[in-house]
Amino acid sequence: MKRALVLMLIILLTVPFVSGGELTYYPDQRAFQAFLSSNATYRVVGGNETWARAWAYYVDEKLSTVKERGNETLVLVGNVYNNLMIKALWPKTGLSENASLLPSVIVLNGTVLITGTEENIYMTERAFEELWSPPVESQVSFAVLLALIAIVFMLALRKDKTYAGSFYALTLSLFVLWYLTAQIPRMSEVFLQDFLQGLKFAVGGSPDSPLGAILGGFFMVVRPIEENLVFAHWILILLLISFSFYIAPKRARELGFIVFGLSFASPMFRNYLHHLDGTTLGLAFFLITLAIISNIHFSPNKVKAFIQTLILSTFTLLTLAINPYLAAIPLLFVMVFPKRRLRNYAYLLMTGVGLALLYVYFGLPSGVPRHMNPNGWRYLVRFLLNTALAILVIVYAVIYREKSTKMRGQTPFLMMMAAIYIPLALFIPELLPYCFIILSSLVARIIYILTLQT
């Protein structure tokens, strides 16, 4: 009986360190907060494995936003099996060595230990996520990029001599209002894994996903801190808004406001943009791809035509790298634009070779689920409710459309995309934010067709 009680006591004492991979603190969170609030300088030392050095890179850059580098406090990252300094200090914690394999923040005298493994170290990001102290250079770069994007698109849209420039100015005001009133987005747990992959790539390791490679390239240029990710997130949203005007017909760019309005007015769509994950990046690549398809006129010059096809293939591949289920894009493009066979063959070849290289390097993506997602119908019903106005416009157009109206080019392309991906979202709900863009773009083109009939 006594042995059983002792065993139960040991289990209770170790519960905080074995609770489903959740972040734990020792002795408590207040001790870590006291370290963050102190004036003590710090020095980060990572373990000898790539993932430990990668996470040490993040911890070092994050702490540098609120503290000075120095030698007063050691911050050790890794576990007892890959960081000799952690191994030497670990007996002072009174915990078993295996406890260092769990995500935890441990504060000793003059030392902070950030422990875990490659499978869970990213959970310690939660200890830093409340810190918000963007560097001056990040704030300046963010403001300059926003201004450049806004000015470039404003000048381009005003050249059309339509109301597109005025509507774009209105969308900019709504964007600024949204930015000023929105909460700071946080990284989802799934995205934290890609975040670690990006850090590994930035320190010389190999990422396990295309998104990790893209993030790694980003972290080679900018500091890998949440503040910079949030700024990049808002820049991508501005690009989404801006390219919405280039999905609309060329002679009616102002209808881009319809694309923007129908998408961003939906609470469900905005909810997809409330978190830091790959969704916003994937939507940006997807929307740019649609904008190229909607506007590009391939030059008779072979060199220019090759460059144009290469640009289209590049953004198509970037879209597929984030969401491989959108692989129907090049096939549908060839179907609705069949006349330029050489261009179509080149587009299919470039995209196919690019996909093959992605699969060779990162492995094959998971296949289409054989069974419907358990929440598929619930998500689809919400989607239909949020897009009711767009669906009514499409139904009206189908009923009202005159027989002589020619439906070709971009409009059937979007119709086929909607016909494929809205039902497929029952199995893959991650496709729903893309369906919002497809339906909104389709409505803008249908409105343009209806105005031509009047």
Side-chain angles (χ1 to χ4, degrees), residues 44 84 88 129-130 133 140 160 211 226 234 335 347-348 359 369 386-388 415 425:
V44 177
L84 294 178
E129 66 177 353
E130 296 300 327
S133 181
V140 172
D160 289 340
L211 180 56
E226 290 87 345
W234 283 104
M335 290 175 62
Y347 178 41
L348 288 175
Y359 296 158
N386 279 260
T387 57
M415 284 183 170

Side-chain angles (χ1 to χ4, degrees), residues 134-144 222-223 225 227-228 231:
V136 174
E137 62 270 20
S138 296
Q139 298 181 58
V140 172
S141 299
F142 174 61
V144 169
V222 303
R223 298 164 67 177
I225 55 178
E227 290 87 342
N228 286 336
F231 289 153

